[in-house]
Amino acid sequence: MKIGVLGTGGMAAALGGAWTAAGHEVVIGGRSGEHAERIARRIGAAGHSSLRDAAAHGDAVLVAVPATVAPHLVGGLATELVDRTVIDCTNPLVPTNDGLMLDSAGATSVAGQLAAVAPEAHVVKAFNLCHVSIWTLRPPTFENVPLAVPYCADTSTAAAVTETLIGSIGCTAAPCGGLARAASLEATAALAIGLWWSGGQPRAAFPSPGEAPRP
Ligand SMILES: NC(=O)c1ccc[n+]([C@@H]2O[C@H](COP(=O)([O-])OP(=O)(O)OC[C@H]3O[C@@H](n4cnc5c(N)ncnc54)[C@H](OP(=O)(O)O)[C@@H]3O)[C@@H](O)[C@H]2O)c1
């Protein structure tokens, strides 16, 4: 699949690298040509370009910039993103004095804001729950169980593209409903990251009912 990556930071390199290793045609787009070239070379991507050209390249386009930047960036690329699947991995987090994180999105998720500014794109919320280091694992598997990747999407096109991208890096897709639920994924990230930062183990807080010992 052709994938455009908007951003040249940690998530761009980790997910772009995972998809390149899986055989996808990844182009890294950055506001700095030097950064884009460096990351593309490091991960063996097909190429590097401006943000606009990366958006035009991808059947899928990963938005890997700060949440505060994403709506303005995506809005400016709305023409290039028509009919593209736009994957929003951003987390609108605000650090607090007690070490926990607040989700600053309020009523509208970042993903919802992206859908509003690029109404002809297929926006998906995905890949926002795990730390950047997890996406560098080949594959991300824990206790022999592939990582589950929750996602929210409104269209069957976006769901199919997202499931392909998740499956191709050895993970299991976990559909979580439409984009109206993206705020839940963003709030979940805020909770989990806050727990990690304060020394907790969010993973230990979510055993399935099937794991409970029978009375
Ligand atoms: N790090 C994690 O563990 C993690 C996990 C899940 C989700 N996320 C989310 O993923 C997103 C990216 O995180 P990251 O860790 O990759 O961040 P990062 O390493 O700080 O990289 C941010 C990227 O955004 C670019 N950028 C910043 N302002 C921009 C603007 N105005 N226009 C265009 N590009 C701009 C930067 O470009 P320059 O290089 O030119 O400055 C850089 O390439 C964030 O929304 C974050 O919440 C991060």
Side-chain angles (χ1 to χ4, degrees), residues 7-11 31 35 64-67 69 89-91 128 130-132:
T8 55
M11 287 294 279
R31 60 179 174 175
H35 290 183
V65 298
V69 167
C89 73
T90 70
N91 281 319
N128 68 312
C130 287
H131 186 260
V132 60

Side-chain angles (χ1 to χ4, degrees), residues 116-131:
V117 296
E120 293 180 75
H122 303 278
V123 177
V124 179
K125 189 85 202 181
F127 300 102
N128 68 312
L129 290 189
C130 287
H131 186 260

Side-chain angles (χ1 to χ4, degrees), residues 153-214:
D154 276 346
T155 69
S156 55
T157 301
V161 168
T162 305
E163 296 220 357
T164 297
L165 293 180
I166 292 170
S168 67
I169 60 171
C171 298
T172 303
C176 292
L179 213 55
R181 294 202 174 137
S184 295
L185 284 188
E186 293 175 4
T188 301
L191 182 71
I193 294 166
L195 281 168
W196 286 320
W197 281 23
S198 58
Q201 286 292 342
R203 193 167 174 235
F206 295 99
S208 73
E211 292 175 69
R214 295 192 185 282

